[in-house]
Amino acid sequence: MPPWRRLAQMFLGLAVSAGLLVYFFWDVDLGVVAARLRGTLWSFLALSIGLNFVSMWARAWRWSYLFPPGPRPGHLFRSLLIGYMGNNLLPLRAGEVVRVYVASRHGPRFWTAFATVVVERVLDGLALGLIVAGLLLLVPVSAEMRWSIAIFLAVDLAALLVLVMIAVAPGVCRVLIEGIFHRIGWLERRLIALLGTMTEGLRGIRAPRHVIPVALSSVGIWLFLALSVWTAMHAAHLDLPLVASWAVLAFLGLGVSLPSSPGFVGVVQAATVLALALFAVPRAEALSFSLLLHASQFFPVTAVGLVCLLLEHVSLSDAARAGSQGVSSEG
């Protein structure tokens, strides 16, 4: 990517984050926000932090089964934590590249690890689609929001169908790409490279003995995340049903697709306020909860990720640079 484009994306992300913060904090009584934060129930918040780490452990466990059958790679939980820390501190979500680079230091090829992360994102999109669909059945949603949700579900379903087609008939997919895009050489090459990435990443999930662990860990990831959000709500004195935590997760999942600053500042606040508005939570209370939830997931994960990075004996900048070089050279 040209430097000017990377710089433009960084400034766009900062502008989006700043704009969301200004919009959602405008006319909010900061004294009310501060008072609610002072009343935090720390035992519930500690439980929320623990459940978040359990969810990430389940994600690392699933990640091991997305690799092709054979010896399972090690240090994946450590790599995952480093990646989350990188996303919190680096622009343009470079933590994903750092995560792949660290994992590739312990056995798997860089490109294989990169492919599994692509497949992981599709699985997360499927899970979010199911959560969003469930919300339509359980929670009253405005007509405007229903249209947005319907568009997301349509895109999610299309991505799932493409994934299934690649898994079942990669040869047919290559023939279709070559037949449709043969007059646009650069696009044809990129699509064939992407097809290769997806085919490589699907080798693990196609293995029959990997199906059950992937399914169980996928359920665990989102169940523990929902419980983490729910206990954080209790820490903030929000007596809401468990479905409210699923609503927050759904809106956060949709929100992080927007450009933003490192750590998704502003996006987390906007998504949380919009989700809790479905349950008639006042903006000041929703904002105070969003700050509490964001801090409880940002600081512990970042601190542990930095410790893991030290154990790897690499610097964050070196890992990001080496990972980017791996993408450009193998992609």
Side-chain angles (χ1 to χ4, degrees):
M1 181 185 298
W4 67 267
R5 187 176 297 177
R6 290 175 58 88
L7 199 60
Q9 289 186 0
M10 289 170 56
F11 278 115
L12 176 61
L14 291 172
V16 170
S17 289
L20 289 173
L21 286 175
V22 170
Y23 178 80
F24 281 94
F25 274 93
W26 195 260
D27 288 338
V28 169
D29 189 341
L30 297 182
V32 173
V33 174
R36 292 192 65 85
L37 289 174
R38 286 195 297 269
T40 298
L41 298 176
W42 298 105
S43 58
F44 276 104
L45 191 64
L47 179 58
S48 173
I49 293 171
L51 288 168
N52 186 42
F53 276 104
V54 173
S55 173
M56 286 187 285
W57 177 86
R59 182 174 292 277
W61 185 53
R62 182 181 69 177
W63 190 16
S64 70
Y65 283 98
L66 295 181
F67 286 90
R72 291 166 64 183
H75 299 271
L76 292 184
F77 186 41
R78 182 186 297 180
S79 303
L80 185 71
L81 288 168
I82 291 172
Y84 273 79
M85 176 270 298
N87 281 338
N88 286 341
L89 300 180
L90 297 173
L92 304 179
R93 301 176 197 180
E96 297 297 340
V97 178
V98 173
R99 164 188 171 186
V100 171
Y101 166 73
V102 174
S104 66
R105 285 162 50 93
H106 298 285
R109 292 191 311 114
F110 181 94
W111 195 241
T112 301
F114 186 86
T116 60
V117 173
V118 174
V119 174
E120 180 187 83
R121 288 292 165 261
V122 177
L123 292 176
D124 287 343
L126 172 61
L128 277 173
L130 293 174
I131 293 171
V132 169
L135 285 179
L136 289 176
L137 299 176
L138 298 174
V139 180
V141 177
S142 66
E144 296 82 2
M145 196 171 291
R146 282 181 177 272
W147 273 108
S148 301
I149 290 174
I151 293 172
F152 171 79
L153 290 177
V155 173
D156 191 53
L157 179 60
L160 179 62
L161 292 175
V162 170
L163 183 69
V164 171
M165 188 170 180
I166 293 173
V168 174
V172 173
C173 293
R174 184 183 181 97
V175 170
L176 287 174
I177 291 172
E178 292 173 343
I180 297 173
F181 300 101
H182 68 279
R183 294 182 182 275
I184 314 174
W186 66 269
L187 182 57
E188 179 188 8
R189 288 190 296 272
R190 290 195 175 186
L191 290 175
I192 289 177
L194 178 60
L195 176 64
T197 299
M198 296 300 296
T199 302
E200 177 76 9
L202 286 167
R203 286 178 59 200
I205 204 172
R206 283 204 303 262
R209 62 193 173 109
H210 287 190
V211 173
I212 292 178
V214 168
L216 290 177
S217 55
S218 296
V219 172
I221 289 167
W222 294 97
L223 177 60
F224 286 119
L225 262 180
L227 291 174
S228 175
V229 174
W230 192 51
T231 50
M233 288 178 179
H234 283 279
H237 299 278
L238 292 178
D239 187 17
L240 296 172
L242 185 59
V243 68
S245 65
W246 293 108
V248 170
L249 286 179
F251 277 71
L252 285 174
L254 296 173
V256 296
S257 61
L258 296 173
S260 68
S261 65
F264 306 106
V265 176
V267 169
V268 172
Q269 284 66 46
T272 304
V273 169
L274 291 174
L276 294 184
L278 299 177
F279 300 87
V281 177
R283 178 172 292 191
E285 295 182 15
L287 279 173
S288 65
F289 168 69
S290 74
L291 295 174
L292 189 67
L293 178 67
H294 198 182
S296 69
Q297 296 191 345
F298 182 95
F299 292 108
V301 171
T302 301
V304 175
L306 285 170
V307 172
C308 291
L309 193 69
L310 290 175
L311 294 175
E312 289 290 328
H313 303 290
V314 295
S315 70
L316 189 58
S317 58
D318 289 342
R321 190 181 309 112
S324 299
Q325 290 171 354
V327 170
S328 60
S329 64
E330 297 200 48

